Each structure stands twice: as structure tokens, then as C-alpha cells.
Coordinates of all heavy atoms in Angstrom, one line a residue:
M149 N 0.8 -1.1 0.0 CA 0.0 0.0 0.0 C 0.9 1.2 0.0 O 1.9 1.3 0.7 CB -0.9 0.0 1.3 CG -1.8 1.1 1.3 SD -2.9 1.1 2.8 CE -3.9 -0.3 2.6
S150 N 0.6 2.2 -0.8 CA 1.4 3.4 -0.9 C 1.1 4.3 0.3 O 0.0 4.2 0.9 CB 1.2 4.1 -2.2 OG -0.1 4.7 -2.2
E151 N 2.0 5.2 0.4 CA 1.8 6.1 1.6 C 0.6 7.0 1.4 O -0.1 7.3 2.3 CB 3.1 7.0 1.6 CG 3.1 7.8 2.9 CD 4.4 8.6 3.1 OE1 5.5 8.0 2.7 OE2 4.3 9.7 3.6
A152 N 0.3 7.4 0.1 CA -0.9 8.3 -0.1 C -2.2 7.5 0.1 O -3.1 8.0 0.7 CB -0.9 8.7 -1.6
S153 N -2.2 6.2 -0.3 CA -3.4 5.4 0.0 C -3.6 5.1 1.5 O -4.7 5.1 2.0 CB -3.3 4.2 -0.9 OG -3.3 3.0 -0.2
A154 N -2.5 4.9 2.2 CA -2.6 4.7 3.6 C -3.1 6.0 4.3 O -3.9 5.9 5.3 CB -1.2 4.4 4.2
I155 N -2.7 7.2 3.8 CA -3.2 8.4 4.4 C -4.7 8.6 4.1 O -5.5 9.0 4.9 CB -2.4 9.6 3.8 CG1 -1.0 9.6 4.4 CG2 -3.1 10.9 4.2 CD1 -0.1 10.6 3.9
D156 N -5.1 8.2 2.9 CA -6.5 8.2 2.5 C -7.4 7.3 3.4 O -8.4 7.7 3.9 CB -6.7 7.8 1.0 CG -6.3 8.9 0.1 OD1 -6.2 10.0 0.5 OD2 -6.1 8.5 -1.1
V157 N -6.9 6.1 3.6 CA -7.6 5.1 4.5 C -7.7 5.7 5.9 O -8.7 5.6 6.6 CB -6.9 3.7 4.5 CG1 -7.4 2.8 5.6 CG2 -7.0 3.1 3.1
A158 N -6.5 6.2 6.4 CA -6.5 6.8 7.7 C -7.5 8.0 7.8 O -8.2 8.2 8.8 CB -5.1 7.2 8.1
S159 N -7.5 8.8 6.8 CA -8.4 10.0 6.7 C -9.9 9.5 6.8 O -10.7 10.1 7.5 CB -8.2 10.8 5.5 OG -6.9 11.4 5.6
K160 N -10.2 8.5 6.0 CA -11.6 7.9 6.0 C -12.0 7.4 7.4 O -13.1 7.6 7.9 CB -11.7 6.9 4.9 CG -11.7 7.5 3.5 CD -11.9 6.4 2.5 CE -11.7 7.1 1.1 NZ -11.8 6.1 0.0
R161 N -11.0 6.7 8.0 CA -11.3 6.1 9.3 C -11.5 7.3 10.3 O -12.3 7.2 11.2 CB -10.1 5.2 9.8 CG -10.1 3.9 9.0 CD -9.0 3.0 9.5 NE -9.0 2.7 10.9 CZ -7.9 2.4 11.6 NH1 -6.7 2.4 11.0 NH2 -8.0 2.2 12.9
L162 N -10.7 8.3 10.2 CA -10.8 9.4 11.1 C -12.1 10.1 10.9 O -12.8 10.5 11.8 CB -9.7 10.4 10.9 CG -9.7 11.7 11.7 CD1 -9.7 11.4 13.2 CD2 -8.6 12.7 11.3
A163 N -12.5 10.3 9.6 CA -13.8 10.9 9.3 C -15.0 10.1 9.9 O -15.9 10.6 10.5 CB -14.0 11.1 7.8
L164 N -14.9 8.7 9.8 CA -15.9 7.9 10.3 C -16.0 8.0 11.8 O -17.0 8.0 12.5 CB -15.7 6.4 9.9 CG -15.9 6.1 8.4 CD1 -15.5 4.7 8.0 CD2 -17.4 6.3 8.1
A165 N -14.8 8.0 12.4 CA -14.7 8.1 13.9 C -15.3 9.5 14.4 O -16.0 9.5 15.4 CB -13.3 8.0 14.4
L166 N -15.0 10.5 13.6 CA -15.6 11.8 14.0 C -17.1 11.9 13.8 O -17.8 12.5 14.6 CB -14.9 12.9 13.1 CG -13.4 13.2 13.5 CD1 -12.8 14.2 12.5 CD2 -13.3 13.8 14.9
D167 N -17.6 11.2 12.7 CA -19.0 11.1 12.5 C -19.7 10.3 13.7 O -20.7 10.7 14.2 CB -19.3 10.4 11.2 CG -19.0 11.3 10.0 OD1 -18.9 12.5 10.2 OD2 -18.9 10.8 8.9
A168 N -19.0 9.2 14.1 CA -19.5 8.4 15.2 C -19.5 9.2 16.5 O -20.5 9.2 17.3 CB -18.7 7.1 15.4
L169 N -18.5 10.0 16.7 CA -18.4 10.9 17.9 C -19.5 11.9 17.9 O -20.1 12.2 18.9 CB -17.0 11.5 18.0 CG -16.8 12.4 19.2 CD1 -17.0 11.7 20.5 CD2 -15.4 13.1 19.1
A170 N -19.7 12.5 16.7 CA -20.7 13.6 16.6 C -22.1 13.0 16.9 O -22.9 13.6 17.6 CB -20.7 14.2 15.2
A171 N -22.3 11.8 16.4 CA -23.6 11.1 16.6 C -23.8 10.8 18.1 O -24.9 10.9 18.7 CB -23.7 9.8 15.8
A172 N -22.7 10.3 18.7 CA -22.8 10.0 20.2 C -23.0 11.3 21.0 O -23.8 11.2 21.9 CB -21.5 9.3 20.6
V173 N -22.4 12.4 20.6 CA -22.6 13.6 21.3 C -24.1 14.1 21.1 O -24.7 14.5 22.1 CB -21.7 14.7 20.8 CG1 -22.1 16.1 21.2 CG2 -20.2 14.4 21.2
E174 N -24.6 13.9 19.9 CA -26.1 14.3 19.7 C -27.0 13.4 20.5 O -28.0 13.9 21.1 CB -26.4 14.2 18.2 CG -27.8 14.5 17.9 CD -28.2 15.9 18.2 OE1 -27.3 16.8 18.3 OE2 -29.4 16.2 18.4
R175 N -26.7 12.1 20.6 CA -27.5 11.2 21.4 C -27.5 11.6 22.9 O -28.5 11.6 23.6 CB -27.1 9.7 21.2 CG -27.5 9.1 19.9 CD -27.3 7.6 19.9 NE -26.0 7.2 20.2 CZ -25.0 7.1 19.4 NH1 -25.2 7.4 18.1 NH2 -23.8 6.7 19.7
R176 N -26.3 12.0 23.3 CA -26.1 12.4 24.7 C -26.9 13.7 25.0 O -27.5 13.8 26.0 CB -24.6 12.5 25.1 CG -24.4 12.9 26.5 CD -24.9 11.8 27.4 NE -25.0 12.3 28.7 CZ -25.4 11.6 29.8 NH1 -25.7 10.3 29.6 NH2 -25.4 12.1 30.9
R177 N -26.8 14.6 24.0 CA -27.5 15.9 24.2 C -29.0 15.6 24.3 O -29.7 16.2 25.1 CB -27.2 16.8 23.0 CG -27.7 18.2 23.2 CD -27.6 19.0 21.9 NE -28.4 18.5 20.8 CZ -29.7 18.6 20.7 NH1 -30.4 19.2 21.7 NH2 -30.4 18.1 19.7
Q178 N -29.5 14.8 23.4 CA -30.9 14.4 23.4 C -31.3 13.7 24.8 O -32.4 14.0 25.3 CB -31.3 13.6 22.3 CG -31.3 14.3 20.9 CD -31.6 13.4 19.7 OE1 -31.7 12.2 19.9 NE2 -31.7 14.0 18.6
A179 N -30.5 12.8 25.2 CA -30.8 12.2 26.5 C -30.8 13.2 27.6 O -31.6 13.1 28.5 CB -29.7 11.1 26.7
D180 N -29.8 14.1 27.6 CA -29.8 15.1 28.7 C -31.0 16.0 28.6 O -31.6 16.4 29.6 CB -28.5 16.0 28.6 CG -27.3 15.2 29.0 OD1 -27.4 14.2 29.6 OD2 -26.2 15.7 28.7
S181 N -31.4 16.3 27.4 CA -32.6 17.1 27.2 C -33.9 16.4 27.7 O -34.7 17.0 28.4 CB -32.8 17.5 25.7 OG -34.0 18.2 25.5
S182 N -33.9 15.1 27.4 CA -35.1 14.3 27.9 C -35.1 14.2 29.4 O -36.1 14.3 30.1 CB -35.0 12.9 27.3 OG -35.2 12.9 25.9
E183 N -33.9 14.1 30.0 CA -33.8 14.1 31.4 C -34.2 15.4 32.1 O -34.9 15.4 33.1 CB -32.3 13.7 31.8 CG -32.1 13.5 33.3 CD -30.7 13.1 33.7 OE1 -30.1 12.4 32.9 OE2 -30.2 13.6 34.7
Q184 N -33.8 16.5 31.4 CA -34.2 17.8 32.0 C -35.8 17.9 31.9 O -36.4 18.5 32.8 CB -33.5 18.9 31.2 CG -32.1 19.0 31.5 CD -31.3 20.0 30.6 OE1 -31.9 20.6 29.7 NE2 -30.1 20.3 31.0
T185 N -36.3 17.5 30.7 CA -37.8 17.5 30.6 C -38.5 16.7 31.7 O -39.5 17.1 32.2 CB -38.2 17.0 29.2 OG1 -37.5 17.8 28.2 CG2 -39.7 17.0 29.0
L186 N -37.9 15.5 31.9 CA -38.5 14.6 33.0 C -38.4 15.3 34.3 O -39.3 15.2 35.1 CB -37.9 13.3 33.0 CG -38.2 12.4 31.8 CD1 -37.4 11.1 31.8 CD2 -39.7 12.0 31.8
D187 N -37.2 15.9 34.6 CA -37.1 16.6 35.9 C -38.1 17.8 36.0 O -38.7 18.0 37.1 CB -35.6 17.2 36.0 CG -34.6 16.1 36.3 OD1 -35.0 15.0 36.7 OD2 -33.4 16.4 36.1
A188 N -38.3 18.5 34.9 CA -39.3 19.6 35.0 C -40.7 19.1 35.2 O -41.5 19.6 36.0 CB -39.2 20.4 33.7
Q189 N -41.0 18.0 34.5 CA -42.3 17.3 34.7 C -42.5 16.8 36.1 O -43.6 17.0 36.7 CB -42.5 16.2 33.7 CG -42.7 16.7 32.3 CD -42.8 15.5 31.3 OE1 -42.4 14.4 31.6 NE2 -43.3 15.8 30.1
L190 N -41.5 16.2 36.7 CA -41.5 15.7 38.0 C -41.7 16.9 39.0 O -42.5 16.8 40.0 CB -40.2 15.0 38.4 CG -40.1 14.3 39.7 CD1 -41.3 13.3 39.9 CD2 -38.8 13.6 39.9
H191 N -41.0 18.0 38.8 CA -41.1 19.2 39.6 C -42.6 19.7 39.6 O -43.2 20.1 40.6 CB -40.1 20.2 39.2 CG -40.2 21.5 40.0 ND1 -39.9 21.6 41.4 CD2 -40.7 22.7 39.7 CE1 -40.1 22.8 41.8 NE2 -40.6 23.5 40.8
A192 N -43.1 19.8 38.3 CA -44.5 20.3 38.2 C -45.5 19.4 38.8 O -46.4 19.8 39.5 CB -44.8 20.4 36.7
L193 N -45.3 18.1 38.8 CA -46.2 17.1 39.4 C -46.1 17.3 41.0 O -47.1 17.2 41.7 CB -45.8 15.7 39.1 CG -46.2 15.3 37.6 CD1 -45.7 13.9 37.3 CD2 -47.7 15.3 37.5
G194 N -44.9 17.5 41.5 CA -44.7 17.8 42.9 C -45.5 19.0 43.3 O -46.1 19.0 44.4
A195 N -45.3 20.1 42.5 CA -46.0 21.3 42.9 C -47.5 21.1 42.8 O -48.3 21.6 43.7 CB -45.6 22.4 41.9
D196 N -48.0 20.4 41.8 CA -49.4 20.1 41.7 C -49.9 19.3 42.9 O -51.0 19.6 43.4 CB -49.8 19.3 40.4 CG -49.7 20.2 39.2 OD1 -49.7 21.4 39.3 OD2 -49.8 19.6 38.0
R197 N -49.1 18.3 43.3 CA -49.5 17.5 44.4 C -49.6 18.4 45.7 O -50.6 18.3 46.5 CB -48.5 16.4 44.7 CG -48.8 15.5 45.8 CD -47.6 14.7 46.3 NE -47.9 14.0 47.5 CZ -48.0 14.6 48.7 NH1 -47.8 15.9 48.9 NH2 -48.2 13.9 49.8
S198 N -48.7 19.3 45.9 CA -48.7 20.2 47.1 C -49.9 21.1 47.0 O -50.6 21.3 48.0 CB -47.4 21.0 47.1 OG -46.3 20.2 47.3
R199 N -50.2 21.6 45.8 CA -51.4 22.5 45.7 C -52.6 21.7 46.0 O -53.5 22.2 46.7 CB -51.4 23.1 44.3 CG -52.6 24.0 44.0 CD -52.6 24.5 42.6 NE -52.5 23.5 41.6 CZ -53.6 22.7 41.2 NH1 -54.7 22.9 41.8 NH2 -53.4 21.8 40.3
L200 N -52.8 20.5 45.4 CA -54.0 19.7 45.6 C -54.1 19.3 47.1 O -55.2 19.3 47.6 CB -53.9 18.5 44.7 CG -54.1 18.8 43.2 CD1 -53.9 17.5 42.4 CD2 -55.5 19.4 42.9
A201 N -53.0 19.0 47.7 CA -53.1 18.6 49.1 C -53.6 19.8 50.0 O -54.4 19.6 50.9 CB -51.7 18.2 49.6
S202 N -53.1 21.0 49.6 CA -53.5 22.2 50.3 C -55.0 22.5 50.1 O -55.8 22.8 51.0 CB -52.7 23.4 49.9 OG -53.1 24.6 50.5
E203 N -55.5 22.3 48.8 CA -56.9 22.5 48.5 C -57.7 21.5 49.2 O -58.8 21.8 49.7 CB -57.1 22.4 47.0 CG -56.5 23.6 46.3 CD -56.7 23.5 44.7 OE1 -57.4 22.6 44.3 OE2 -56.1 24.4 44.0
L204 N -57.2 20.2 49.3 CA -58.0 19.2 50.0 C -58.1 19.5 51.5 O -59.2 19.3 52.1 CB -57.3 17.8 49.8 CG -58.0 16.6 50.5 CD1 -59.4 16.4 50.0 CD2 -57.1 15.4 50.3
D205 N -57.0 20.0 52.1 CA -57.1 20.4 53.5 C -58.1 21.5 53.7 O -58.9 21.4 54.7 CB -55.7 20.8 54.0 CG -54.7 19.7 54.1 OD1 -55.1 18.5 54.1 OD2 -53.5 20.0 54.2
A206 N -58.1 22.5 52.8 CA -59.1 23.6 53.0 C -60.5 23.1 52.8 O -61.4 23.5 53.5 CB -58.7 24.7 51.9
A207 N -60.7 22.2 51.8 CA -62.1 21.7 51.6 C -62.5 20.8 52.7 O -63.7 20.9 53.1 CB -62.1 20.9 50.3
T208 N -61.6 20.1 53.3 CA -62.0 19.2 54.5 C -62.3 20.1 55.7 O -63.3 19.9 56.4 CB -60.8 18.3 54.8 OG1 -60.5 17.5 53.7 CG2 -61.1 17.5 56.1
A209 N -61.6 21.2 55.9 CA -61.9 22.1 57.0 C -63.2 22.8 56.8 O -64.0 22.9 57.7 CB -60.8 23.2 57.1
R210 N -63.5 23.2 55.5 CA -64.8 23.8 55.2 C -65.9 22.8 55.4 O -67.0 23.1 55.9 CB -64.8 24.3 53.8 CG -66.1 24.9 53.4 CD -66.0 26.0 52.3 NE -67.2 26.4 51.7 CZ -68.1 27.2 52.3 NH1 -67.9 27.6 53.5 NH2 -69.2 27.5 51.7
A211 N -65.7 21.5 55.0 CA -66.8 20.5 55.2 C -67.0 20.3 56.7 O -68.2 20.2 57.1 CB -66.3 19.2 54.5
R212 N -66.0 20.3 57.5 CA -66.2 20.2 58.9 C -67.0 21.4 59.5 O -67.8 21.2 60.4 CB -64.8 20.0 59.6 CG -64.2 18.6 59.4 CD -62.9 18.5 60.1 NE -62.4 17.1 59.8 CZ -61.1 16.9 59.7 NH1 -60.2 17.9 59.8 NH2 -60.7 15.7 59.4
A213 N -66.6 22.5 59.0 CA -67.3 23.7 59.5 C -68.8 23.7 59.1 O -69.7 24.0 59.9 CB -66.6 25.0 59.0
L214 N -69.1 23.2 57.9 CA -70.4 23.1 57.4 C -71.2 22.1 58.2 O -72.4 22.3 58.5 CB -70.5 22.8 55.9 CG -70.1 24.0 55.0 CD1 -70.0 23.5 53.6 CD2 -71.0 25.1 55.1
E215 N -70.6 21.0 58.5 CA -71.2 19.9 59.3 C -71.5 20.5 60.7 O -72.6 20.2 61.3 CB -70.3 18.7 59.5 CG -70.2 17.9 58.2 CD -69.1 16.8 58.3 OE1 -68.5 16.6 59.4 OE2 -68.9 16.1 57.3
S216 N -70.6 21.2 61.3 CA -70.9 21.8 62.6 C -72.0 22.8 62.6 O -72.9 22.8 63.4 CB -69.6 22.5 63.1 OG -69.8 23.2 64.3
A217 N -72.0 23.7 61.5 CA -73.1 24.6 61.4 C -74.4 23.9 61.1 O -75.5 24.3 61.7 CB -72.8 25.6 60.2
N218 N -74.4 22.8 60.4 CA -75.6 22.0 60.1 C -76.2 21.4 61.4 O -77.4 21.5 61.7 CB -75.3 20.9 59.1 CG -76.6 20.1 58.8 OD1 -77.6 20.7 58.5 ND2 -76.4 18.8 58.8
R219 N -75.3 20.9 62.3 CA -75.7 20.4 63.6 C -76.3 21.5 64.5 O -77.4 21.3 65.1 CB -74.6 19.7 64.3 CG -74.2 18.3 63.8 CD -73.2 17.6 64.7 NE -71.9 18.3 64.8 CZ -70.9 18.1 64.0 NH1 -71.0 17.3 62.9 NH2 -69.8 18.8 64.2
D220 N -75.7 22.7 64.4 CA -76.3 23.8 65.2 C -77.6 24.2 64.7 O -78.6 24.4 65.5 CB -75.3 25.0 65.1 CG -75.7 26.1 66.0 OD1 -76.0 25.8 67.2 OD2 -75.7 27.3 65.6
V221 N -77.8 24.2 63.4 CA -79.1 24.6 62.8 C -80.2 23.6 63.2 O -81.3 23.9 63.5 CB -79.0 24.8 61.2 CG1 -80.4 24.8 60.6 CG2 -78.2 26.0 60.9
V222 N -79.8 22.3 63.1 CA -80.8 21.2 63.4 C -81.2 21.4 64.9 O -82.3 21.2 65.3 CB -80.1 19.8 63.1 CG1 -80.9 18.7 63.8 CG2 -80.0 19.6 61.7
R223 N -80.2 21.6 65.8 CA -80.5 21.8 67.2 C -81.4 23.0 67.4 O -82.4 22.9 68.2 CB -79.2 22.0 68.0 CG -79.3 22.1 69.5 CD -78.0 22.4 70.2 NE -77.3 23.6 69.7 CZ -77.7 24.8 69.9 NH1 -78.7 25.1 70.7 NH2 -77.0 25.8 69.4
R224 N -81.2 24.1 66.8 CA -82.0 25.2 66.9 C -83.4 25.0 66.3 O -84.4 25.4 66.9 CB -81.4 26.5 66.2 CG -80.2 27.0 67.0 CD -79.6 28.1 66.3 NE -78.4 28.6 66.9 CZ -77.9 29.8 66.7 NH1 -78.4 30.7 65.9 NH2 -76.8 30.2 67.4
L225 N -83.5 24.3 65.2 CA -84.8 24.0 64.6 C -85.6 23.1 65.6 O -86.8 23.3 65.7 CB -84.7 23.3 63.2 CG -84.3 24.3 62.1 CD1 -84.1 23.5 60.8 CD2 -85.5 25.2 61.9
D226 N -84.9 22.1 66.1 CA -85.6 21.2 67.1 C -86.1 22.0 68.3 O -87.3 21.8 68.7 CB -84.7 20.1 67.5 CG -84.4 19.0 66.5 OD1 -85.2 18.9 65.5 OD2 -83.4 18.2 66.6
A227 N -85.3 22.9 68.8 CA -85.7 23.7 69.9 C -86.9 24.6 69.5 O -87.9 24.7 70.3 CB -84.6 24.6 70.4
A228 N -86.9 25.2 68.3 CA -88.0 26.0 67.8 C -89.3 25.2 67.7 O -90.4 25.6 68.0 CB -87.6 26.7 66.5
I229 N -89.1 24.0 67.1 CA -90.3 23.1 66.9 C -90.9 22.8 68.3 O -92.1 22.8 68.5 CB -89.9 21.9 66.1 CG1 -89.6 22.3 64.6 CG2 -91.0 20.8 66.2 CD1 -89.0 21.2 63.8
D230 N -90.0 22.4 69.2 CA -90.5 22.1 70.6 C -91.2 23.3 71.2 O -92.3 23.1 71.8 CB -89.4 21.6 71.5 CG -88.8 20.3 71.1 OD1 -89.5 19.5 70.4 OD2 -87.7 19.9 71.5
T231 N -90.7 24.5 71.0 CA -91.3 25.7 71.6 C -92.7 25.9 70.9 O -93.7 26.2 71.6 CB -90.4 26.9 71.3 OG1 -89.2 26.7 72.0 CG2 -91.1 28.2 71.9
I232 N -92.8 25.8 69.6 CA -94.0 25.9 68.9 C -95.0 24.9 69.3 O -96.2 25.2 69.6 CB -93.8 25.9 67.3 CG1 -93.0 27.1 66.9 CG2 -95.1 25.8 66.6 CD1 -92.5 27.1 65.5
R233 N -94.6 23.7 69.5 CA -95.5 22.6 69.9 C -96.0 22.9 71.3 O -97.2 22.7 71.7 CB -94.8 21.3 69.9 CG -94.7 20.7 68.5 CD -94.1 19.3 68.5 NE -94.0 18.8 67.1 CZ -93.1 18.0 66.7 NH1 -92.3 17.5 67.5 NH2 -93.1 17.6 65.5
S234 N -95.1 23.4 72.2 CA -95.6 23.8 73.6 C -96.6 24.9 73.6 O -97.6 24.8 74.3 CB -94.4 24.2 74.4 OG -93.5 23.1 74.5
V235 N -96.3 25.9 72.7 CA -97.3 27.0 72.6 C -98.6 26.5 72.1 O -99.7 26.9 72.6 CB -96.7 28.1 71.8 CG1 -97.7 29.2 71.4 CG2 -95.5 28.8 72.4
L236 N -98.6 25.7 71.0 CA -99.8 25.2 70.5 C -100.6 24.3 71.5 O -101.8 24.4 71.6 CB -99.6 24.4 69.2 CG -99.1 25.2 68.0 CD1 -98.8 24.3 66.8 CD2 -100.2 26.2 67.6
A237 N -99.9 23.5 72.2 CA -100.5 22.6 73.2 C -101.1 23.5 74.3 O -102.2 23.2 74.8 CB -99.4 21.7 73.7
A238 N -100.4 24.5 74.7 CA -100.9 25.4 75.8 C -102.2 26.1 75.3 O -103.1 26.3 76.1 CB -99.9 26.4 76.2
N239 N -102.2 26.5 74.1 CA -103.4 27.2 73.5 C -104.6 26.3 73.3 O -105.7 26.8 73.3 CB -103.0 27.9 72.2 CG -102.2 29.2 72.4 OD1 -102.3 29.7 73.5 ND2 -101.5 29.6 71.4
E240 N -104.3 25.0 73.1 CA -105.4 24.1 72.9 C -106.1 23.7 74.2 O -107.2 23.3 74.2 CB -104.9 22.8 72.3 CG -104.5 22.9 70.8 CD -103.9 21.6 70.2 OE1 -103.8 20.6 71.0 OE2 -103.6 21.7 69.0
R241 N -105.5 24.0 75.4 CA -106.1 23.6 76.6 C -107.1 24.6 77.1 O -107.7 25.4 76.9 CB -105.0 23.5 77.7 CG -104.1 22.4 77.5 CD -103.1 22.3 78.6 NE -102.0 21.5 78.2 CZ -100.8 21.6 78.7 NH1 -100.5 22.4 79.6 NH2 -99.9 20.8 78.2

């Protein structure tokens, strides 16, 4: 093999190696980009989870307050009904 042809072969091998390296770098860049996207999605999901947990806590507290108010209204209505019945019974005598 002549020296020129050996240089041509070596140049082609170098070009192929550089192409393979460029492809590997591109794959790594895409993998890093995908990883960053996944990290961002994970962060967003964590933030959503925190927000939803807070909203659930607030809704639970409101439901408890409404239940308490409902019990109070029922107690007052029962007392009013009893008073009305007593008045009606007294007037019937």
C-alpha cells in the first residue's frame, strides 16, 4: 500500500470516527434534554401535588365547619319546633 493510499484510508477512518463521535454527542444531548424535561415534569407534578393537598385540606376544613353549622341549625330547629308545639299545646287547653 502506498503512503498516499494509507493516508486516504486513515483519513476515512478518522472521518468515520468523527461522525460516530458527533452522533454520540447528539444522542447524549438528546438524552440530557429528555432528562431535563422529565425533571421539569416531576417538579411540576410535585407542585401540583402540594397545591392539591392544600386544597384538600381547605375543603376538608370547610366541610367540617359546614357539618358543625348544620348540627347547630338542626339543634335550633328542634328547639324552635318544641317551643311551637308547647305554645300550640298550651293554647289548645
